[in-house]
Amino acid sequence: MLPVWRYTGLDHDHDIRMPAPDTLILSIEAMHCAGCVRRIESRLLELPEVEQVSISLPERTVRLAWPGDAPSARLVESLEQAGFPPARRTLTLDIHGMHCASCTGRVRDALQALSGVIEAEVNLAAEQARVVVIDEGLDPGSLVSAIAQAGYQAALADGGPDRDQRREAEYLRLFRRFLVAAVLTLPVFILEMGSHLVPAFHHWLHQQVGTFTLHLALFVLTSIILFGPGSMFFRIGLPNLWRGHPDMNSLVATGTGAAWAYSVVATFAPGLMPEGTANVYYEPAAVIVTLILLGRVLEARAKGRTGQAIARLLRLQSRTARVERDSTVELVPIEQLKAGDRVRVRPGETIPVDGQVLAGDSWVDESMLTGEPDPVQRGPGDEVVGGTLNQHGRLIIEATRLGSDSVLARIVALVRQAQSARLPIQALVDRVTAWFVPVVMLVATATAAIWLAFGPAPALGFALVNAVAVLIIACPCAMGLATPTSIMVGTGRGADQGILFRGGDALQRLKSVAVVALDKTGTLTEGQPQVTEIETASGVDADTLLKMAASAEQDAEHPIGQAIIAAARSRELKLDDLDEFQALPGRGLQARCGDREILVGSPAWFAEKSIETDLLKSRAEALSHQARTTVMVAIDGTLAGLIAIADPIRRTTPEAIEALHRMGLTVVMISGDAQSTARAVANELGIDEVIAGVRPEGKLTAIRDLAAGDRCVAFVGDGINDAPALAAADVGIAIGTGTDIAIESAQVVLMAGDLRKVPTAIGLSRATLRNIRQNLFWAFAYNTALIPVAAGALYPAFGVLLSPMLAAAAMAASSLFVVGNALRLRRVTI
């Protein structure tokens, strides 16, 4: 009996029957009322695939029948356009058994065929799939089952040391297979190749041992090799061939199997074959399997090195922590820590958890996370990050962020997300590899047919050898590894440098950046302004002016306000109580302390308020030309004076600007300061363009103006008011010392406040994309050039044929070239 879903909207009550296997369940948090229910229902019923809908307002869920062959992404897009995005979650699966680009395409197709899957990305180098699903609509077990039906093994990724252990176990398993195959292949190779190279040895062997006995020994050894160590090719490749989805394993199994079967007939039933064709090809079959296993062993080892960045990050995590409990100190597993626990960290120990220092002073080495070599001083009130190294003093910290909320966990998640991303160029590779293996099998068949029809005697032998060479030399592995290996190594190298990419698309777009726009405060400068001058109007002394301004700024969060308060405290001035406070972004603030009204803000705002500023106007302009930010102070509607503030330029900023210019980039500074102040800073640093007097909401417009003419713009910022501009830029780059909202809005995160990381990130992007182009050129050029050679294209003119054994060596070398070329990114100088 079909299940019944109850519609529970406020003004609806009816039963809808739908088949359970096709039912999707969507969780929609933005659904709050009956109007929302009606709009969702109306939008869904506009889709031709939707006939029935059941909506529960109390549960905020939508149930509907969705055909399995329709992409779920269309359903999600329709709801998002209506303003009701369904909840989604991302699952990562470890996949075993993928060996080439055809495998990744098959796994991706199997996942995307499931209702409830929005997006699926499969990474051959990482041997993982990243799947975005509708939150309530899909059981993870169905993903594993779909992959199993496609011929591969899968499990939900745990992301921990177990994954590294599995990779090591896979490497050892392949190595043992190769070792057995090599030991058995050696006598086959000596007997056959020795006979070809040394005629006397050939005659002695056949006289002393006998031709049949020799062929029988070769049959036994080669059979053990093919169906022992080489059985993996047949176990995986033949079922995929029967399913109509041949892969790399299918090519190897077909080629070596054909050579073995031909040799078996020639050994035991030579009379069934045309005269002069009863030759044996045991040696090519055995050597091909051994060489390909060697290639897999070397490839497994090299692929393991592509993911070392994440392994290094995971090794930073402590397994235990020394926690104060009931007047004692206990050694507690990190998983058992709770927020608020007091954790002791001795000199030389790794800080086990993110927290705030309660007691103690020390220098902490944060280079493993930020890439900065110099240790930083940490004391009471300072934040520390788990995974960093406490160098000298003892610290007592209060645990704050645990598990997946910790900085280290978030970094690992970002790196994994970037490494599993697909670049737009990968779509072309996928289209080619989708038909590559079937086309190769057709070419091999055509090669055999042409040699049988037009080849010299013995035509059957020539047909077999050349067809096997075509099957073996084709290398979809190199195509599949070309992009993901470079991305893995490139993003891993970025993580080592304290540069985190949120996705592969950011890595690709950064290469095309023509304009780098920089926020001034906190990006070009230290973000810690200091009061440098105080100018008073008649009747007010400097201490009184500073005291009144600081009293008004007590609830302000702007760095300028904090600088004024710090200056007042340094003079030990007692601040008045703040009764009223109103901040006006881009203008200033208005406050009341007792019976006095205080205004602190820009000269332009004072002009709007009709407050006379002529007395200090010339002085304010002079200070602005010295790169000072000036704020006017008025008490009870009358100008009381001005305060000049300077924000020191970061030590690394001039070098970073110079590096950006060497790359041929235009550098723009965006600032809320007056034009004269901003221009003074720009002149000092050699910045090309200045956009000054910009209010927080104006940064978005500035970014759009810079992008005119299809220029690719990167914006670098660190504050809350930078978030819209970071999101709007082609590439948003957040300084890691900034606010969380800025970091969440950016596509690239710099873990340290060193602006030199910006040209480093751009240089890394360029190097990675160049590496990808090299890999793709090699993969496509290799197959385009050598498949015709393997088919015998050079034979009519030069009498040259390619041995299947050389074809196997070339195929293995092709994959190793791609992985080895990607690994060069670990040593590239940026």
Side-chain angles (χ1 to χ4, degrees):
M1 179 177 178
L2 295 178
V4 176
W5 299 109
R6 173 72 61 179
Y7 186 104
T8 54
L10 293 182
D11 54 357
H12 294 73
D13 189 9
H14 55 275
D15 292 340
I16 299 177
R17 295 178 179 269
M18 60 182 67
D22 296 326
T23 298
L24 286 184
I25 307 172
L26 288 70
S27 176
I28 302 179
E29 290 298 320
M31 179 168 53
H32 300 291
C33 63
C36 297
V37 171
R38 283 192 292 271
R39 286 198 297 276
I40 292 172
E41 181 184 29
S42 175
R43 174 54 69 103
L44 289 175
L45 291 176
E46 289 176 1
L47 297 173
E49 297 90 350
V50 178
E51 297 180 357
Q52 301 172 320
V53 182
S54 174
I55 304 177
S56 171
L57 180 58
E59 297 176 358
R60 294 182 181 177
T61 59
V62 174
R63 294 176 173 85
L64 72 158
W66 185 259
D69 58 350
S72 301
R74 185 158 64 242
L75 170 65
V76 173
E77 181 181 359
S78 178
L79 288 170
E80 286 177 342
Q81 290 174 351
F84 299 98
R88 59 180 71 187
R89 56 179 167 159
T90 301
L91 301 172
T92 303
L93 301 170
D94 288 332
I95 302 176
H96 178 69
M98 295 191 302
H99 298 289
C100 65
S102 299
C103 301
T104 61
R106 193 151 47 254
V107 171
R108 185 171 58 253
D109 291 344
L111 291 170
Q112 290 179 337
L114 293 174
S115 296
V117 172
I118 303 172
E119 179 185 354
E121 297 173 348
V122 183
N123 189 310
L124 176 60
E127 297 177 327
Q128 285 188 329
R130 179 174 170 270
V131 190
V132 181
V133 301
I134 300 171
D135 193 31
E136 301 292 337
L138 194 66
D139 174 25
S142 60
L143 301 176
V144 175
S145 298
I147 294 172
Q149 290 174 6
Y152 305 91
Q153 299 174 12
L156 283 174
D158 52 28
D162 288 347
R163 174 172 166 76
D164 295 331
Q165 293 170 6
R166 285 195 298 271
R167 279 202 163 188
E168 185 64 22
E170 172 68 9
Y171 166 77
L172 293 174
R173 185 180 66 82
L174 284 171
F175 183 75
R176 285 192 295 269
R177 283 179 176 270
F178 162 71
L179 207 59
V180 172
V183 170
L184 295 174
T185 299
L186 186 60
V188 175
F189 183 79
I190 292 174
L191 291 173
E192 280 290 281
M193 189 57 68
S195 296
H196 291 306
L197 297 178
V198 184
F201 177 68
H202 170 79
H203 295 306
W204 176 85
L205 199 61
H206 282 263
Q207 288 174 1
Q208 297 297 320
V209 179
T211 301
F212 178 76
T213 304
L214 178 62
H215 288 178
L216 185 62
L218 294 174
F219 162 74
V220 172
L221 290 171
T222 304
S223 299
I224 295 173
I225 294 167
L226 262 63
F227 304 114
S231 62
M232 55 184 290
F233 302 117
F234 295 89
R235 189 178 65 254
I236 299 172
L238 293 182
N240 286 335
L241 184 61
W242 307 148
R243 295 188 186 102
H245 301 294
D247 64 356
M248 178 67 208
N249 296 293
S250 305
L251 296 179
V252 176
T254 304
T256 58
W260 177 84
Y262 184 98
S263 302
V264 168
V265 175
T267 300
F268 297 103
L272 299 177
M273 307 183 74
E275 185 178 352
T277 63
N279 303 310
V280 295
Y281 298 96
Y282 292 117
E283 179 203 14
V287 173
I288 285 169
V289 167
T290 302
L291 286 175
I292 293 177
L293 283 173
L294 174 61
R296 292 274 174 93
V297 168
L298 297 176
E299 185 181 311
R301 178 56 76 198
K303 281 163 62 177
R305 290 202 294 269
T306 64
Q308 282 184 349
I310 286 182
R312 281 194 297 270
L313 288 170
L314 290 173
R315 283 196 295 269
L316 296 176
Q317 180 64 66
S318 297
R319 299 291 167 224
T320 58
R322 299 170 66 248
V323 182
E324 295 182 357
R325 287 182 181 169
D326 300 327
S327 302
T328 63
V329 177
E330 300 178 10
L331 197 62
V332 175
I334 200 73
E335 296 81 9
Q336 296 180 15
L337 279 178
K338 301 187 296 292
D341 278 345
R342 290 168 60 96
V343 179
R344 289 190 184 184
V345 186
R346 293 180 294 193
E349 287 185 339
T350 297
I351 296 173
V353 65
D354 292 4
Q356 186 177 51
V357 178
L358 299 177
D361 287 281
S362 183
W363 290 87
V364 177
D365 180 4
E366 299 181 347
S367 60
M368 60 286 294
L369 297 180
T370 66
E372 292 291 298
D374 298 327
V376 293
Q377 190 171 16
R378 294 288 183 248
D382 292 334
E383 298 285 335
V384 291
V385 177
T388 56
L389 182 65
N390 179 33
Q391 288 193 332
H392 300 301
R394 190 189 75 161
L395 295 175
I396 299 177
I397 65 174
E398 178 184 352
T400 54
R401 293 185 296 266
L402 304 171
S404 60
D405 292 330
S406 69
V407 171
L408 184 58
R410 290 163 66 188
I411 290 174
V412 171
L414 279 176
V415 175
R416 280 207 171 108
Q417 179 180 333
Q419 291 188 342
S420 64
R422 280 163 47 84
L423 297 187
I425 197 172
Q426 186 66 27
L428 171 63
V429 179
D430 292 341
R431 286 196 295 272
V432 172
T433 54
W435 51 260
F436 178 80
V437 174
V439 166
V440 168
M441 300 194 83
L442 289 175
V443 170
T445 304
T447 297
I450 291 171
W451 277 96
L452 281 172
F454 304 105
L460 185 59
F462 279 109
L464 174 69
V465 168
N466 289 294
V468 170
V470 169
L471 291 171
I472 298 303
I473 203 166
C475 189
C477 303
M479 295 181 183
L481 291 169
T483 300
T485 50
S486 296
I487 292 176
M488 287 185 70
V489 180
T491 53
R493 176 68 190 279
D496 290 341
Q497 299 275 327
I499 302 167
L500 304 180
F501 296 91
R502 286 192 176 277
D505 52 347
L507 187 67
Q508 180 163 339
R509 283 201 302 268
L510 198 56
K511 174 192 71 72
S512 305
V513 163
V515 178
V516 178
L518 302 156
D519 177 54
K520 183 179 83 72
T521 303
T523 302
L524 292 170
T525 64
E526 295 284 357
Q528 298 176 348
Q530 300 170 357
V531 173
T532 55
E533 288 92 8
I534 299 175
E535 300 286 340
T536 63
S538 58
V540 181
D541 62 76
D543 281 355
T544 301
L545 177 70
L546 184 59
K547 172 185 173 180
M548 299 305 294
S551 298
E553 294 276 8
Q554 288 179 81
D555 284 355
E557 297 181 355
H558 196 281
I560 288 178
Q562 299 303 312
I564 293 173
I565 293 172
R569 287 175 176 164
S570 69
R571 298 191 183 196
E572 298 183 351
L573 301 176
K574 184 179 179 181
L575 305 186
D576 294 335
D577 293 336
L578 183 63
D579 298 319
E580 297 178 11
F581 173 86
Q582 181 182 11
L584 303 169
R587 292 181 172 87
L589 62 85
Q590 185 170 341
R592 180 170 292 278
C593 297
D595 59 353
R596 311 196 75 171
E597 184 185 50
I598 305 167
L599 273 64
V600 182
S602 66
W605 182 45
F606 274 43
E608 292 178 16
K609 302 285 286 185
S610 300
I611 297 175
E612 183 61 52
T613 60
D614 288 345
L615 182 63
L616 295 175
K617 186 175 182 180
S618 60
R619 180 58 177 155
E621 291 177 353
L623 288 168
S624 68
H625 284 96
Q626 300 173 31
R628 303 289 195 269
T629 298
T630 57
V631 293
M632 298 288 187
V633 182
I635 300 175
D636 295 331
T638 303
L639 180 68
L642 67 80
I643 299 174
I645 294 121
D647 189 359
I649 292 173
R650 290 183 186 269
R651 175 179 53 84
T652 57
T653 296
E655 187 179 341
I657 301 300
E658 184 180 347
L660 291 171
H661 281 147
R662 285 198 302 269
M663 290 179 158
L665 303 175
T666 300
V667 182
V668 180
M669 183 179 77
I670 299 177
S671 173
D673 289 339
Q675 180 71 33
S676 54
T677 303
R679 175 54 63 185
V681 175
N683 289 340
E684 181 180 349
L685 294 173
I687 289 174
D688 303 305
E689 298 180 28
V690 176
I691 304 175
V694 179
R695 294 177 181 173
E697 63 273 15
K699 291 181 181 179
L700 190 60
T701 303
I703 293 298
R704 289 171 177 163
D705 291 342
L706 289 171
D710 292 329
R711 293 198 300 179
C712 186
V713 178
F715 177 73
V716 187
D718 73 323
I720 293 175
N721 57 15
D722 293 328
L726 286 166
D730 294 292
V731 183
I733 304 175
I735 300 291
T737 55
T739 60
D740 285 345
I741 190 170
I743 292 172
E744 291 299 323
S745 302
Q747 292 89 45
V748 181
V749 179
L750 309 181
M751 292 302 295
D754 187 347
L755 204 62
R756 291 175 299 185
K757 300 292 184 183
V758 174
T760 299
I762 295 173
L764 181 60
S765 168
R766 291 178 176 180
T768 303
L769 269 295
R770 185 166 56 248
N771 192 272
I772 288 173
R773 287 195 298 270
Q774 292 167 352
N775 282 348
L776 288 175
F777 173 79
W778 167 261
F780 283 98
Y782 164 88
N783 284 290
T784 303
L786 291 187
I787 288 178
V789 173
L794 299 180
Y795 186 80
F798 305 101
V800 175
L801 290 176
L802 185 65
S803 165
M805 292 182 290
L806 291 177
M811 188 272 289
S814 179
S815 295
L816 291 176
F817 174 88
V818 166
V819 178
N821 188 49
L823 288 172
R824 290 192 309 113
L825 288 171
R826 297 195 304 173
R827 299 182 298 274
V828 68
T829 302
I830 302 170

